[in-house]
Amino acid sequence: MKYNKFWRDVLLGVENLLLHKLRSFLTMLGVVFGVGSVVAMLSVGEGASKEALEQIKKVGSNNIIITSMKSVEEETETNQRGPRMSIYGLTYEDRERIARTFPAVKQTVPVKLIREEAHIGERSMEIRVVGTTLAWFDIVRRPLLAGRILSPSDFEGHSAVVVLTEYGARRLLATKNTIGENLRIGTDNFMIVGIVKSEGGKAADLQLPDQEVDAYIPINIAKTYYGDTTRDGTDSREMKQVELDQVILEVEDLEHVEAVAKGIEVMLDRFHTKKDYAMSVPLALLKQAEATKRTFNIVLGSIACISLLVGGIGIMNIMLASVTERTREIGIRRAIGAKRKQIITQFLIETVVLSTLGGIVGLGLGIFIPLVITLTAGMPTVVTPLSVMLPLFISIAIGIVFGLYPAARAAEVDPIIALRHE
Amino acid sequence: MNNDLNPRSNHIMVELDQAKKIYPMGGQEVRALDGVSMSFREGSFWAIMGPSGSGKSTMMNIIGCLDRLTEGRYLLEGHDVKTLDDDALSEFRLKHLGFIFQSFNLIPQLTVQRNIELPLYYLGWEAKESEERAIELARRVGLEKRLDHRPTELSGGQMQRVAIARALANDPQVLLADEPTGNLDTATGDQILEMLVDLNNQGKTIIMVTHEDHIAAHAKSRLHMKDGVIERLEGEFE
Ligand SMILES: Nc1ncnc2c1ncn2[C@@H]1O[C@H](COP(=O)(O)OP(=O)(O)OP(=O)(O)O)[C@@H](O)[C@H]1O
Ligand SMILES: [Mg+2]
């Protein structure tokens, strides 16, 4: 019964608003655009940060990636003196020292990288040979598509085996049936034992550990086949001597990641005369991304608040005018026997209906715009339950907050004055 | 000169006792009611007359529980109105009083039916019952074909009939009419008056303000006001 009466009141409110369609529509616009921009901005922001976060998580937030890099000083020296051999980067000793010094480090993965031409029959492509240990597959977890990953016996037996990535396998026309066949890398022959998926590409600001053109081989094979001295870059005649191109660490506890990273940096700086490595800490980037997102949300929130405030004030303004205009009606209702709170309810319902309607239309707009953005600009957008519920809730709240004062003014109308014939 | 032929009741509906309504106006004060003592019995039909500014509307507002006395007492069906708060006054108006105004005071955006239903809405009636009641009342005032019309589509006399139907919706004991024929021509005014006489015959207590003698002549009793006090009473009273 109460329920029925409520909807009857809402219907009466809607009827009243429909009497002045244009005015009601114009009054709603403030809330429409306010809510619309909130929803749109939330979904665009959410989409952008979700993509960034996902990419960063792919790298592994427990991981620290240290990459050998020619130091800036050496870079300039090379330019001056022409072809030469440069010695730099991480060493086997570095890796052991890290494992020894930091108990929080769960595992360390040494990586040797060699660019080479790979062939299966007639097909060939340039690949990145990744000499690494078993732990690689533990840290860089990618689905196995065919065959198997490297096994301990490959290392013990010094087996010349290779695991291809999906992309590389496709380029070389390798399929499930190719498992067990021969892959020639440079002049060496390897047996293909498996194919894994590769993520490849860049994640936000950092390189993922794996690339699409990877071929994984046991690190001891890489060491015996290629040694530590390789060509520096594909078409350069310069040589480089680097023991480990990369060391990837997995830290046991998320809380320790940043402290460990700091410690390693201090330690490496002590043993390296030049800054010949670069450290990337996905967690730090993750935190940074989250902080950026927070700032973004605060800025968006403020803008949204202002536009909603303006919308609310617009509604209040019109409702105040409406109360003045309908003084006589209010007087009649009061004379007949309407209580003050019934007048308040009547006007409040009208305001809330108006603002909620504005909220719903704004929501439609706010979902439609990101959709267009996604379709045209290819930018990812995400409409979360929160970005739908929040604006709706806010628009109802706006109706109540900004409707209360006009409604109270309506309730204060003195029927005697209102009914005095003019 | 007691010619009370109405055996219906000696019950006092409305009683004013030394009623004063004083408006402070700058340094001076306006004594709109300046000590009025008067009883209106159940089933009576009073015309309140008097020159402009004599306090007729003020008295109606007091009786209608729209305003409060500055001094004195006002009893409606034995209840001292002074003790009632705003909500209780609204409740009183809703349950016991029906208003008819000079300018009809229908709500323009509502249909005839909705206007008639208004008191029932505040009484919390269900939609179906109040619709039935509105149709019945419209029939009583001869407007059953106009239920879906807006007030602006009606003539003055028709609007006043809607107002009467609305005033009757809550079945009040007392009808208060402040110049109900003031905006109507003589013929239409007479029709409205006939309706009021009918209602009085059915037992409603009616208090009506009017300027016109021929309108006042329809009432059983007449009360003449002057400068906020009763000048004289005429007709059937005790
Ligand atoms: N709110 C008010 N403030 C000050 N004075 C008022 C107020 N209402 C009424 N008055 C004064 O009280 C007196 C009585 O007014 P009232 O409206 O009762 O007269 P009336 O008899 O109904 O006159 P009319 O025939 O013109 O309608 C008048 O002098 C009026 O100016
Ligand atoms: Mg008057």
Side-chain angles (χ1 to χ4, degrees):
Chain A
M1 222 172 92
K2 268 255 177 309
Y3 175 85
N4 259 340
K5 191 163 155 35
F6 173 74
W7 286 111
R8 217 166 96 193
D9 288 350
V10 169
L11 215 70
L12 283 174
V14 172
E15 275 176 23
N16 248 320
L17 294 171
L18 286 179
L19 285 176
H20 307 281
K21 290 187 191 67
L22 182 66
R23 183 209 279 184
S24 301
F25 172 72
L26 292 176
T27 309
M28 258 167 48
L29 278 186
V31 175
V32 170
F33 289 130
V35 167
S37 56
V38 177
V39 179
M41 289 193 281
L42 277 182
S43 9
V44 171
E46 198 65 38
S49 69
K50 192 183 166 207
E51 193 184 45
L53 293 185
E54 249 169 27
Q55 293 280 36
I56 290 168
K57 279 189 183 134
K58 258 183 216 156
V59 185
S61 38
N62 274 47
N63 299 348
I64 298 171
I65 302 172
I66 315 169
T67 310
S68 296
M69 256 177 67
K70 208 181 277 182
S71 67
V72 184
E73 300 97 300
E74 194 142 2
E75 197 86 59
T76 42
E77 273 170 39
T78 322
N79 285 349
Q80 285 162 358
R81 294 189 196 166
R84 52 161 290 196
M85 157 94 83
S86 34
I87 305 166
Y88 64 90
L90 300 163
T91 60
Y92 302 109
E93 180 64 29
D94 283 333
R95 181 202 163 200
E96 267 154 42
R97 213 180 278 126
I98 289 168
R100 252 193 339 251
T101 322
F102 299 94
V105 175
K106 190 171 146 198
Q107 50 191 350
T108 58
V109 184
V111 180
K112 284 181 82 65
L113 301 171
I114 305 101
R115 293 219 159 254
E116 265 299 354
E117 202 70 25
H119 313 265
I120 300 181
E122 295 286 281
R123 312 278 305 180
S124 76
M125 72 179 282
E126 196 194 297
I127 56 162
R128 187 178 80 147
V129 180
V130 179
T132 187
T133 60
L134 281 178
W136 168 279
F137 299 96
D138 193 31
I139 289 185
V140 188
R141 281 176 189 274
R142 306 287 182 247
L144 181 65
L145 297 175
R148 60 169 178 87
I149 54 171
L150 299 179
S151 73
S153 57
D154 296 332
F155 291 86
E156 284 155 26
H158 269 73
S159 320
V161 290
V162 62
V163 173
L164 279 177
T165 59
E166 184 187 21
Y167 174 80
R170 209 177 321 116
R171 283 279 302 273
L172 293 165
L173 294 180
T175 60
K176 266 197 275 276
N177 307 328
T178 325
I179 304 289
E181 288 192 7
N182 191 63
L183 176 74
R184 188 159 57 82
I185 301 175
T187 52
D188 308 305
N189 290 314
F190 288 80
M191 182 174 82
I192 302 170
V193 292
I195 298 170
V196 293
K197 209 171 161 58
S198 62
E199 289 294 345
K202 274 211 154 194
D205 283 340
L206 75 171
Q207 191 74 48
L208 287 166
D210 60 333
Q211 289 182 8
E212 286 181 325
V213 293
D214 281 352
Y216 306 104
I217 63 169
I219 190 163
N220 46 8
I221 297 287
K223 213 147 99 186
T224 26
Y225 281 25
Y226 305 103
D228 295 331
T229 311
T230 50
R231 266 187 298 141
D232 189 4
T234 29
D235 33 45
S236 138
R237 264 177 286 111
E238 280 172 44
M239 299 302 278
K240 62 169 184 175
Q241 187 181 329
V242 176
E243 288 186 17
L244 289 174
D245 293 280
Q246 227 168 38
V247 176
I248 303 174
L249 320 169
E250 189 186 357
V251 180
E252 186 84 60
D253 197 333
L254 210 56
E255 277 172 44
H256 296 144
V257 172
E258 281 166 302
V260 167
K262 262 264 151 352
I264 290 173
E265 194 161 14
V266 171
M267 194 189 80
L268 287 178
D269 283 346
R270 191 132 42 88
F271 291 95
H272 289 238
T273 47
K274 290 169 187 160
K275 181 90 175 173
D276 54 358
Y277 67 93
M279 190 181 283
S280 116
V281 187
L283 182 71
L285 288 167
L286 191 75
K287 284 193 172 169
Q288 201 183 321
E290 271 166 1
T292 312
K293 187 187 159 193
R294 226 176 352 259
T295 323
F296 191 62
N297 281 347
I298 289 170
V299 172
L300 285 190
S302 319
I303 294 171
C305 276
I306 291 169
S307 59
L308 286 171
L309 192 76
V310 171
I313 291 170
I315 287 190
M316 182 156 96
N317 190 21
I318 293 297
M319 287 314 286
L320 281 174
S322 166
V323 167
T324 308
E325 194 184 85
R326 289 160 67 185
T327 303
R328 198 172 188 84
E329 175 194 333
I330 298 163
I332 295 167
R333 288 175 183 273
R334 291 278 285 138
I336 283 171
K339 297 195 174 85
R340 286 214 168 102
K341 59 171 182 278
Q342 290 173 311
I343 300 292
I344 290 185
T345 309
Q346 182 194 342
F347 278 87
L348 213 50
I349 284 178
E350 273 185 39
T351 323
V352 171
V353 165
L354 202 58
S355 69
T356 308
L357 226 61
I360 292 170
V361 175
L363 188 63
L365 196 72
I367 292 175
F368 178 72
I369 290 173
L371 214 72
V372 172
I373 291 178
T374 307
L375 289 181
T376 56
M379 233 167 99
T381 57
V382 178
V383 177
T384 64
L386 180 79
S387 65
V388 171
M389 294 311 292
L390 190 72
L392 268 190
F393 176 76
I394 289 175
S395 60
I396 292 172
I398 281 179
I400 293 172
V401 170
F402 291 94
L404 223 50
Y405 179 63
R409 283 275 290 264
E412 288 312 314
V413 165
D414 182 350
I416 299 174
I417 296 169
L419 295 178
R420 206 172 270 159
H421 11 114
E422 54 273 348
Chain B
M1 135 187 163
N2 185 353
N3 53 357
D4 187 1
L5 301 173
N6 184 359
R8 211 158 13 232
S9 172
N10 274 331
H11 181 63
I12 294 174
M13 227 32 195
V14 171
E15 185 174 358
L16 294 167
D17 180 15
Q18 279 304 307
K20 289 187 185 171
K21 181 71 192 182
I22 302 165
Y23 294 106
M25 288 290 274
Q28 277 180 311
E29 44 183 36
V30 178
R31 294 175 165 262
L33 287 183
D34 197 9
V36 172
S37 296
M38 180 69 202
S39 309
F40 299 88
R41 291 183 184 280
E42 188 177 6
S44 58
F45 186 171
W46 283 90
I48 298 176
M49 306 191 68
S52 185
S54 57
K56 306 182 295 293
S57 294
T58 306
M59 187 153 103
M60 291 297 268
N61 288 339
I62 296 290
I63 295 171
C65 296
L66 291 168
D67 208 352
R68 290 166 190 277
L69 288 172
T70 318
E71 274 175 49
R73 274 201 320 163
Y74 165 42
L75 301 175
L76 177 60
E77 288 204 65
H79 297 272
D80 190 342
V81 166
K82 196 166 246 163
T83 62
L84 302 173
D85 65 6
D86 191 79
D87 274 6
L89 281 183
S90 302
E91 189 91 25
F92 240 86
R93 293 198 291 271
L94 187 58
K95 293 197 169 143
H96 302 282
L97 302 173
F99 290 93
I100 300 161
F101 304 91
Q102 176 177 355
S103 46
F104 323 127
N105 281 338
L106 302 176
I107 297 180
Q109 71 266 30
L110 299 183
T111 60
V112 166
Q113 183 188 328
R114 287 284 183 76
N115 266 291
I116 298 174
E117 283 178 359
L118 214 54
L120 306 174
Y121 170 79
Y122 288 114
L123 281 167
W125 281 38
E126 289 293 308
K128 199 170 161 302
E129 276 112 60
S130 62
E131 181 178 347
E132 283 166 7
R133 174 104 173 117
I135 293 169
E136 181 212 313
L137 287 163
R139 194 172 299 126
R140 262 169 83 177
V141 298
L143 286 173
E144 67 269 30
K145 294 214 173 79
R146 304 293 183 138
L147 279 168
D148 293 328
H149 288 234
R150 311 259 163 200
T152 44
E153 298 157 9
L154 302 178
S155 72
Q158 287 170 328
M159 282 200 263
Q160 198 59 300
R161 273 143 69 191
V162 175
I164 290 172
R166 183 179 67 186
L168 293 173
N170 57 344
D171 199 17
Q173 295 96 321
V174 182
L175 283 178
L176 300 173
D178 197 341
E179 303 197 36
T181 58
N183 283 357
L184 303 174
D185 59 48
T186 317
T188 321
D190 284 342
Q191 280 176 19
I192 295 295
L193 242 290
E194 260 159 46
M195 268 182 177
L196 292 181
V197 170
D198 260 5
L199 288 166
N200 178 244
N201 288 337
Q202 288 160 32
K204 301 274 185 223
T205 308
I206 299 180
I207 304 172
M208 169 184 76
V209 171
T210 185
H211 278 119
E212 298 159 275
D213 289 329
H214 78 275
I215 294 290
H218 289 278
K220 286 180 189 159
S221 328
R222 278 157 293 281
L223 185 160
H224 293 267
M225 296 281 297
K226 196 179 180 190
D227 297 334
V229 293
I230 300 174
E231 195 186 28
R232 64 195 160 89
L233 304 177
E234 263 189 289
E236 161 192 307
F237 63 95
E238 196 199 20

